[in-house]
Amino acid sequence: MPERTADVCVVGAGPAGLTLALLLVRSGVRVVVVERSRGFAREFRGEILQPGALALLDRLGVLGEARARGAYEHHRFRLEDGVRVLLNADYRALPEPYNYLLSIPQRHVLETLLAKCEKYDGFELLSGHRVTELLQDGDRTTGVVAGDEIVNARCVVGADGRYSKVRRLAGIADGRVELFQRDVLWCKIPLGGASPRDVRIFRSGGEPMLSYVSVPDSLQLGWTLPHGQYARVVADGLPALKERICAAAPPYAGLIQETIKSLKDVTLLDVFSGDAPEWVRPGLVLIGDAAHTHSPIGAQGIMLALQDAALLHPILVEAVRRGDVGAAALRPYLARRKDISRVMRLQVAQSGMMLSTRGPKAWIKPKMAALVSRTPIYRKILHQIAYNNPAIRVATEEFTDR
């Protein structure tokens, strides 16, 4: 079986994995990225970047090139109930230059990150390779078996998403918690003329709907349905499903009816939280969704993944240079748990306020959101949603290519 050797093996060529790979190769660390897919020509749903993500990508020289491939700026997040605007979060109140939300196909970001990684001799990509085994020397992870190849590494980083194979092979639980009452059914429809450049949640149909303009000239819709009830919902047939989606977003009912021809035109997101009990073991680290999984509320996932990579980068560089990738050397990364716990608490509160559909909560909590938005505390909440931990930065002092 062919063998490769690297300082770090990153499993997963998503936002977290490729960002970490770029940071590491720019610091003189040899990296092999293992990715089960053969390219990025597939459907991604995580498209909204918060200001905290924009700042990190710009510092890496990625943002401008990714935007040039196609993107839309959104300046407000709005919660609407019929003609009433219950919440109007204006990102233009934040400091420039990252005072907006960016809708950008994840493929554009990943292709730009990969192109930059490939400029470095210390980078290799194994695409179309599935990890089937973690190599161990006692309690230390020393590499992976990927397809018909072995990758030996001082450290393996699991950046392979919410259903992480690395996490499962390591025997680490996903820490799944059912905190949310709604799942999301995604679909795209033609833009059909002018549309507000806002990220919006409609509550007029009783079942909240998320919407925003997406590339190329389309509208991304996320219809929320009772958690775990997708099979029961579709059992009523496609026409009934379309009627429910149309009722949630009346302005787009005609386009929804024309665009959704079969269940292949919609994608279900099982919404849950997850916080793996272990993020670090000797020679092994989990980052992004592999370590902690989030609701799409607040568009936190990609920003948190990028910040994980930026935080881990100098820790891992130092560990590799010293030849010590034991749990103690990697433990400073665990300071991130405080940030993640705060995000999870905030997302539960957001979900309750924006997506409640039954009982008194369905009337009271959206009104509470409207009241909070008019108080000074909301500026702090918006800052938390937009930046998470603004102290996390790109450690350019570790770069060897300056």
Side-chain angles (χ1 to χ4, degrees), residues 226-245:
H227 182 55
Q229 298 299 307
Y230 176 70
R232 182 177 298 177
V233 168
V234 299
D236 294 332
L238 184 63
L241 173 63
K242 290 165 67 173
E243 286 298 328
R244 290 180 68 171
I245 296 175

Side-chain angles (χ1 to χ4, degrees), residues 271-347:
V271 177
F272 63 90
S273 283
D275 187 0
E278 295 179 84
W279 293 2
V280 167
R281 284 184 179 176
L284 178 67
V285 187
L286 302 178
I287 67 173
D289 279 357
H292 46 84
T293 303
H294 303 270
S295 158
I297 285 286
Q300 297 292 287
I302 296 178
M303 175 174 65
L304 296 177
L306 299 184
Q307 289 183 342
D308 282 1
L311 180 63
L312 180 60
H313 160 232
I315 297 169
L316 203 47
V317 168
E318 177 65 16
V320 168
R321 288 175 181 166
R322 293 177 58 187
D324 176 12
V325 290
L330 302 173
R331 193 168 291 127
Y333 169 62
L334 297 180
R336 181 68 165 150
R337 282 195 181 275
K338 288 184 179 180
D339 296 335
I340 299 307
S341 295
R342 188 163 53 245
V343 170
M344 289 184 172
R345 291 193 300 270
L346 181 57
Q347 285 196 316

Side-chain angles (χ1 to χ4, degrees), residues 179-207:
L179 295 176
F180 302 100
Q181 299 177 0
R182 317 283 298 176
D183 290 329
V184 180
L185 197 65
W186 293 104
C187 65
K188 277 190 175 183
I189 63 174
L191 194 52
S195 181
R197 293 293 172 85
D198 302 321
V199 178
R200 307 160 74 193
I201 289 182
F202 299 97
R203 289 186 52 90
S204 57
E207 295 174 304

Side-chain angles (χ1 to χ4, degrees), residues 87-163:
L87 179 64
N88 185 14
D90 195 331
Y91 275 65
R92 289 168 294 191
L94 297 173
E96 295 182 352
Y98 312 112
N99 57 341
Y100 58 91
L101 295 161
L102 190 69
S103 168
I104 183 169
Q106 196 173 128
R107 181 183 72 254
H108 293 182
V109 176
L110 298 181
E111 288 173 347
T112 305
L113 282 166
L114 179 58
K116 290 192 174 295
C117 286
E118 289 177 332
K119 294 178 180 179
Y120 295 86
D121 293 337
F123 175 82
E124 289 185 85
L125 173 67
L126 283 180
S127 61
H129 285 64
R130 292 176 179 267
V131 171
T132 57
E133 183 183 346
L134 296 181
L135 303 178
Q136 299 288 139
D137 181 5
D139 66 348
R140 184 183 300 275
T141 301
T142 59
V144 302
V145 177
D148 60 352
E149 298 202 35
I150 290 175
V151 180
N152 299 297
R154 297 184 185 183
C155 186
V156 172
V157 177
D160 50 340
R162 57 184 2 217
Y163 302 114

